[in-house]
Amino acid sequence: MYGCSLPLMLAVCFLGGFFRLWVVLGCINIFDIIQTKIIYHFGWQYVHNAAIVLYALGMTAVVSYGMPASALWLPLVLCGFGHVGVFIVLTVYAQATANFAYYFQILMLLGFVRTGIGAPIGDALYEIALTGLMNLRPDLELAIRELYGYSVIFGVFVLMLIAASRFKKQIYSTLPRMQSIYRRL
């Protein structure tokens, strides 16, 4: 029988409050950035996506059988900060591109896609991947670490794609053109 001790319950409550604190700080940060326009929306969207990747990297390092609950504070901080920032930036993009008559419908669709479709599909993909990894390695800790590792690799790849799409002109200017390649041949 698995029991739950009082210190563990207090640690989980403390971490839950810590997570909420960083969600609020993420909201304040995004609101301040939008008001002062210090960095473009792309820069903050990139920072918050990187925070989500760092969350997965932190969970890769932290997950173990004897892990204390207090070891989760930094990954939870990064997770809360990243998700709030991404959701707020998407909402600002929707506001900038939609007419007022359709704005609330677009917000409803964004919320539905994030929580109604995206979360179950993501959970199902992780469940399938974890089941496959458990078939290869019966150790749960190693399978979870490997799954977080694959998430980090995928997240870094997505960050590279986002950066490449943003800086297309700079990337294309450094690549040789076909005419110059033909001349050298």
Side-chain angles (χ1 to χ4, degrees), residues 68-118:
S70 61
L72 294 173
W73 74 270
L74 185 59
L76 285 177
V77 164
L78 292 170
C79 181
F81 183 74
H83 281 112
V84 165
V86 168
F87 294 157
I88 289 175
V89 169
L90 288 175
T91 305
V92 169
Y93 283 158
Q95 178 200 12
T97 58
N99 294 334
F100 182 74
Y102 303 113
Y103 176 65
F104 296 105
Q105 293 172 350
I106 290 175
L107 283 180
M108 187 262 320
L109 284 175
L110 280 174
F112 178 70
V113 167
R114 282 190 287 231
T115 58
I117 297 172

Side-chain angles (χ1 to χ4, degrees), residues 3-78:
C4 191
S5 65
L6 182 62
L8 180 62
M9 288 174 42
L10 291 175
V12 168
C13 290
F14 171 73
L15 289 174
F18 215 27
F19 181 77
R20 285 186 215 101
L21 169 72
W22 280 97
V23 166
V24 169
L25 288 179
C27 291
I28 292 171
N29 177 18
I30 288 294
F31 180 74
D32 185 44
I33 294 306
I34 290 171
Q35 291 298 321
T36 58
K37 296 184 182 175
I38 297 171
I39 296 180
Y40 296 110
H41 295 288
F42 166 78
W44 282 108
Q45 183 180 12
Y46 195 80
V47 166
H48 290 284
N49 282 327
I52 294 171
V53 172
L54 287 175
Y55 154 73
L57 184 65
M59 290 302 287
T60 304
V62 167
V63 170
S64 67
Y65 286 120
M67 169 187 67
S70 61
L72 294 173
W73 74 270
L74 185 59
L76 285 177
V77 164
L78 292 170

